[in-house]
Amino acid sequence: DFYSEHGVPTTVVVWPNKGEYLKDSEMNISELLKSKTIELFINIPSNNKYRRLASFTSPGYLCRRAAVDFGIPLLTNIKCAKLLVRSLALIYERGEIPISPFDSRFSSRVISLPGLYSLHAFLPMSTYGDDTPDWRKGTSKALKGGFTFVAAADTARAQSSELFPAAQKLAQSGAYCDYALLAVATESNVSIINPVARTCGALLIDPERVKSAGDGLNSISSWMKHLESWPANIPVFVKATGSVLGALLFGSIIHGRDIHIRDVRKREDIDLIRLAKAKNLRITCDADILALCPSKGSADSLNKDREALFENLDVIDVITGPHEHVVPLLFALHHEGRIGLEYIEQRLYENPRRVLGLPKQDDTYIEVDLDKEWTGED
């Protein structure tokens, strides 16, 4: 009568009493649950503190058991049932129920991003005291930081076609995530490094890291030869500053090739890159997150360089750095209102993937809690 008075249509059903004769016209609750005719079941157990055998054969228990077994939403608490009814009434007053494709919602602000791509090219050394990179440690840190792909260089083994297979073997046996192995250019390996182009991710030109025995002019000439001979469809990474960077940018114009400039830190370098991009040179660049967020007490010169990087955030294509610091510090900048979420996704996913010419990683993503605080060392 109560439901009829309030215009709620109802259907009479019966309990599943064992041995009781049911007419064909009568419906058994247990059978309706099994057939999923009932989509939500509210049943409040009696307040019985004693566990008796009869408690496990009662009609109420059998129906609750059927609801659990057949995946029917079940409410057994009167307070929860009242809250559900009030919530439905409140939504009904608003005129619509917000249906979405999500199965659940977080109480905190959690966002999903694609698996991130890292161009931080050097791995930590192994604990054996030799020049063997520790792929397990390096890629483990990458995954913890949200990076599911890394571009890395084995400096000792990636300088010739003879040693490159050994570098590949170390990577294959140790890496926990997807990776691209970089070939490393030196002043004297122009003729012997090209054969590995088909199996590497890019060529890395880093004059400071590779020791030079020649004078400056000869060194520049050697790097120019790499730009000339390296296959045009395989990326070239350049880590240089000042006049060396200027010379290599000039070389990219002469040989008509794309280059990616690694780890930009100085004002003079980012200004040069901005001017080069304004002239439509085919270049991209990245900056280390620690150059954007230096530790306390940094020198004034570093702060001036940092200001220059912030003035040219749109010029920087990719953000790199220690994997455990990149995401937290970028989201700290987001909380400060300096960058948007779209900037983070472009610099950690879209742009590095484009630089390397890689396809998307299907069904790979990370979740970031925007309300969770993170504390790290300076």
Side-chain angles (χ1 to χ4, degrees), residues 134-144 147-150 170-179 361:
D134 193 333
W135 279 90
R136 286 187 173 86
K137 185 177 180 179
T139 53
S140 177
K141 282 189 173 182
L143 288 172
K144 290 179 180 178
F147 292 91
T148 57
F149 184 98
V150 296
L170 284 173
Q172 291 170 357
S173 62
Y176 288 139
C177 65
D178 292 341
Y179 64 90
Q361 288 182 317

Side-chain angles (χ1 to χ4, degrees), residues 8 16 31 43 62 75 83-84 102 110 113 129 140 165 220-221 256 260 277 308 313 319 367:
V8 179
E31 295 300 323
N43 180 258
L62 295 175
L75 282 176
L83 286 173
L84 174 63
F102 303 107
V110 175
L113 294 173
S140 177
I220 294 297
S221 175
H260 176 77
K277 285 192 171 187
L313 283 176
I319 302 296
E367 292 180 341

Side-chain angles (χ1 to χ4, degrees), residues 56-273:
F56 300 98
T57 58
S58 66
Y61 174 83
L62 295 175
C63 290
R64 292 192 297 274
R65 181 72 257 178
V68 172
D69 290 342
F70 294 97
I72 306 299
L74 171 66
L75 282 176
T76 60
N77 183 282
I78 188 62
K79 292 182 179 179
C80 293
K82 288 180 178 179
L83 286 173
L84 174 63
V85 172
R86 289 172 184 171
S87 299
L88 292 175
L90 184 61
I91 293 174
Y92 179 78
E93 290 174 1
R94 295 178 179 175
E96 62 178 5
I97 298 178
I99 299 176
S100 73
F102 303 107
D103 296 318
S104 61
R105 293 182 181 273
F106 294 93
S107 59
S108 55
R109 295 184 300 158
V110 175
I111 64 169
S112 295
L113 294 173
L116 308 180
Y117 286 65
S118 170
L119 302 185
H120 193 59
F122 292 95
L123 297 166
M125 291 296 104
S126 69
T127 56
Y128 298 112
D130 56 11
D131 57 1
T132 302
D134 193 333
W135 279 90
R136 286 187 173 86
K137 185 177 180 179
T139 53
S140 177
K141 282 189 173 182
L143 288 172
K144 290 179 180 178
F147 292 91
T148 57
F149 184 98
V150 296
D154 182 346
T155 307
R157 297 169 184 80
Q159 299 180 12
S160 73
S161 56
E162 293 181 357
L163 295 177
F164 200 77
Q168 290 177 310
K169 186 175 181 179
L170 284 173
Q172 291 170 357
S173 62
Y176 288 139
C177 65
D178 292 341
Y179 64 90
L181 188 59
L182 307 184
V184 178
T186 68
E187 292 179 334
S188 58
N189 72 346
V190 175
S191 60
I192 61 176
I193 195 63
N194 282 11
V196 308
R198 293 175 296 175
T199 56
C200 75
L203 175 69
L204 175 64
I205 299 177
D206 186 353
E208 291 295 326
R209 183 172 289 268
V210 180
K211 294 182 179 180
S212 172
D215 58 48
L217 291 177
N218 289 335
S219 298
I220 294 297
S221 175
S222 299
W223 307 132
M224 290 292 193
K225 291 179 181 178
H226 279 292
L227 293 179
E228 179 182 5
S229 63
W230 188 253
N233 62 324
I234 308 298
V236 172
F237 288 5
V238 171
K239 189 175 185 303
T241 184
S243 60
V244 177
L245 174 59
L248 291 173
L249 285 176
F250 180 67
S252 72
I253 299 174
I254 294 176
H255 300 296
R257 68 167 311 123
D258 302 351
I259 63 171
H260 176 77
I261 303 166
R262 286 283 345 269
D263 197 14
V264 179
R265 292 177 179 266
K266 296 183 178 181
R267 175 181 286 275
E268 60 183 31
D269 294 337
I270 194 66
D271 287 343
L272 180 61
I273 293 169

